[in-house]
Amino acid sequence: MTHAASKSELFFHQAADHLGLSARFRVLLLAPERDVKVQVAIRLDNGEIETFIGYRVQHDNARGPMKGGLRFHPQVDEDEVRTLAQLMTWKTAVVDLPYGGAKGGIAVDPRSLSKGELERLTRKFVDQIHEMVGPDSDIPAPDMGTNSQVMAWFMNQYQTHHGFQPACVTGKPLELHGCEGREEATGRGVVIVTDRLMHHLGQKLAGKTVALQGFGNVGSFCGKVLHERGARVVAITDHRGGVKNANGLDIPTLLTYAQKNDGVAGFPGGDPMTNAELFASPVDILIPAALGGQLTAETAPSVRAKYIVEAANDPTTPEADEIFLKKGITVVPDILANAGGVTVSYFEWVQNRSVVHWPLEEIRGRLETRMSTAFDAVWQIAQDRKVPLRTAAYILGIGRVARATELAGVS
Ligand code: NAD
């Protein structure tokens, strides 16, 4: 491959090679439409002023309004937000939503702020970016460090500028135009595609052993639905530690414990474990559901799982991906595996715009269908072109965006 590409763009170019895209067209597809960095200064509870940096990157709108999460995390920076915005463009295309991709964030540790400080930070950020976002242009959603409360503040502040606009953001509380099943959607979607992978391999998810990194929004619902479908979750780590039990962790009890104790560390129903041990666990399925960049040239050689399902965004470096390919480990890529969240966000947006409310069972049914259809399409491309699932997912996503771009033309 001859292109000078950043690490995160290598996956793009592998697929673009298959699609025969020209160098000029690649530049058009890769460059973000708009990339904004703002100063977000707030008064802390102690009276002092603290300044944070906020980002919103709007990557592509060829297929519709741009969609992507809002992350509050100390490691948020321009590069990370740009990479994640691009991933959103391919992801919304893989699950065939009428959206493009965007991402935003503030470099802040939300745990270090009081609720009032967090609210002021969110509202100030909205004041800075409200002209560039909206139901027809760019629709934020929760991501790491943000939740339905942050989305409620976001909507309320946006409405002070633009009037009644519940579709300006998704992942809102149920009492404020939110959607049934939004919170569980990403974790549930991860399990739906894992189930589908097993189906295509002529195997069953029930009875499979799983190691899970991260037990936040995505990880906890992933664990819950895996448990419901009969898989055995034997290892979990989070930011404070980890726990393992070869007979399977009691997930319902662990969910209550983790909520009370700010994490899984010290859970009496298992033994302690580290991330390094988790990656090297002799399990069927490894699910990274925490930070990006966890599976690297250093950690990948120790992985013993047969399948990796990327619940987190961008958890695998290209070097690690190469190692997994050589070891015969099948990787279900992030842009397919964790698309359940944006899919149910789309359902929320549709309901907000139609002023209707769908019941939970309808949301779950629609999610199951959409995720399974996307998995089957990616699987078929992988079989036809003899490529890994990641390349197949990029071929599907980039192919759809490229076609829409070509059809629309440049004004
Ligand atoms: P979250 O903040 O709710 O949870 C993150 C989890 O990761 C926590 O359990 C935390 O303890 C754990 N963690 C942090 N540092 C760790 C470390 N060093 N080792 C082990 N665990 C660690 O975030 P989330 O919403 O669950 O998101 C997790 C991942 O999923 C992110 O990569 C995010 O971009 C991705 N994602 C989230 C959604 C969504 O709907 N929330 C959708 C798509 C993708």
Side-chain angles (χ1 to χ4, degrees):
M1 218 200 47
T2 52
H3 320 279
S6 74
K7 262 188 178 184
S8 63
E9 287 170 5
L10 276 170
F11 297 140
F12 168 89
H13 286 297
Q14 280 167 2
D17 287 347
H18 279 274
L19 289 164
L21 300 182
S22 70
R24 282 175 198 274
F25 202 61
R26 292 179 197 211
V27 172
L28 175 65
L29 290 182
L30 281 173
E33 301 237 339
R34 193 143 55 142
D35 189 340
V36 168
K37 185 171 172 180
V38 293
Q39 180 202 63
V40 197
I42 58 159
R43 198 169 289 282
L44 299 178
D45 293 346
N46 66 9
E48 287 180 17
I49 290 175
E50 176 86 58
T51 306
F52 301 91
I53 303 295
Y55 306 88
R56 189 75 190 167
V57 175
Q58 298 180 327
H59 175 247
D60 191 282
N61 66 358
R63 304 183 76 253
M66 293 169 279
K67 187 92 189 79
L70 185 62
R71 179 177 285 201
F72 287 179
H73 192 275
Q75 279 161 21
V76 165
D77 63 23
E78 213 161 333
D79 275 354
E80 184 187 64
V81 180
R82 282 176 77 119
T83 301
L84 294 172
Q86 217 182 78
L87 283 181
M88 285 307 299
T89 300
W90 319 137
K91 188 184 299 183
T92 53
V94 166
V95 275
D96 208 9
L97 305 176
Y99 285 144
K103 199 80 181 189
I106 301 180
V108 60
D109 178 2
R111 290 166 197 268
S112 70
L113 298 185
S114 70
K115 193 171 175 190
E117 290 167 339
L118 209 52
E119 176 174 353
R120 292 197 286 282
L121 181 72
T122 306
R123 289 184 185 278
K124 188 69 177 279
F125 184 55
V126 176
D127 286 344
Q128 307 276 53
I129 64 160
H130 74 93
E131 276 170 354
M132 66 183 281
V133 297
D136 290 316
S137 54
D138 176 0
I139 309 129
D143 193 77
M144 280 181 77
T146 57
N147 54 22
S148 58
Q149 174 62 79
V150 174
M151 297 304 118
W153 293 326
F154 193 109
M155 179 186 80
N156 185 267
Q157 193 64 18
Y158 183 83
Q159 295 188 147
T160 63
H161 297 283
H162 302 274
F164 182 66
Q165 294 283 358
C168 71
V169 69
T170 58
K172 301 179 293 288
L174 266 179
E175 303 84 343
L176 262 185
H177 311 283
C179 177
E180 305 284 346
R182 172 60 185 88
E183 237 193 328
E184 66 170 31
T186 306
R188 178 172 289 276
V190 169
V191 182
I192 293 170
V193 297
T194 311
D195 219 341
R196 208 66 204 149
L197 171 68
M198 293 302 131
H199 167 82
H200 280 281
L201 293 168
Q203 298 184 33
K204 292 226 169 321
L205 179 59
K208 290 281 181 296
T209 53
V210 183
L212 189 55
Q213 188 197 33
F215 207 54
N217 173 281
V218 179
S220 62
F221 282 107
C222 206
K224 184 169 178 273
V225 183
L226 281 167
H227 184 76
E228 283 167 8
R229 296 195 180 190
R232 197 147 46 96
V233 183
V234 296
I236 300 181
T237 54
D238 65 20
H239 69 292
R240 289 187 54 241
V243 60
K244 63 178 172 188
N245 183 333
N247 297 319
L249 291 157
D250 176 357
I251 299 295
T253 311
L254 180 56
L255 283 164
T256 313
Y257 176 90
Q259 252 180 4
K260 269 196 204 137
N261 298 278
D262 186 30
V264 300
F267 180 59
D271 299 316
M273 89 175 321
T274 62
N275 272 330
E277 285 175 75
L278 178 110
F279 293 143
S281 297
V283 288
D284 297 308
I285 304 163
L286 171 65
I287 303 185
L291 308 171
Q294 294 296 293
L295 299 168
T296 62
E298 287 72 44
T299 54
S302 70
V303 171
R304 288 156 77 189
K306 297 182 204 73
Y307 315 104
I308 295 171
V309 184
E310 295 181 341
N313 278 317
D314 205 18
T316 308
T317 65
E319 294 82 5
D321 212 45
E322 198 65 38
I323 294 169
F324 295 145
L325 195 62
K326 286 200 182 113
K327 289 174 84 160
I329 298 173
T330 301
V331 180
V332 183
D334 47 8
I335 57 169
L336 169 62
N338 68 30
V342 71
T343 300
V344 175
S345 269
Y346 164 64
F347 297 159
E348 182 174 331
W349 181 79
V350 169
Q351 291 169 85
N352 290 158
R353 307 201 84 177
S354 332
V355 203
V356 291
H357 189 81
W358 298 341
L360 179 59
E361 285 320 309
E362 179 161 356
I363 300 287
R364 286 182 174 168
R366 284 175 183 264
L367 178 66
E368 191 92 31
T369 305
R370 214 169 252 270
M371 295 299 291
S372 302
T373 304
F375 185 90
D376 293 354
V378 170
W379 181 266
Q380 196 56 48
I381 293 171
Q383 300 301 306
D384 292 347
R385 296 195 182 236
K386 302 197 175 5
V387 292
L389 291 174
R390 187 187 311 280
T391 311
Y394 272 77
I395 289 173
L396 181 63
I398 294 167
R400 283 178 173 160
V401 177
R403 184 88 184 114
T405 307
E406 263 170 10
L407 285 169
V410 180
S411 66

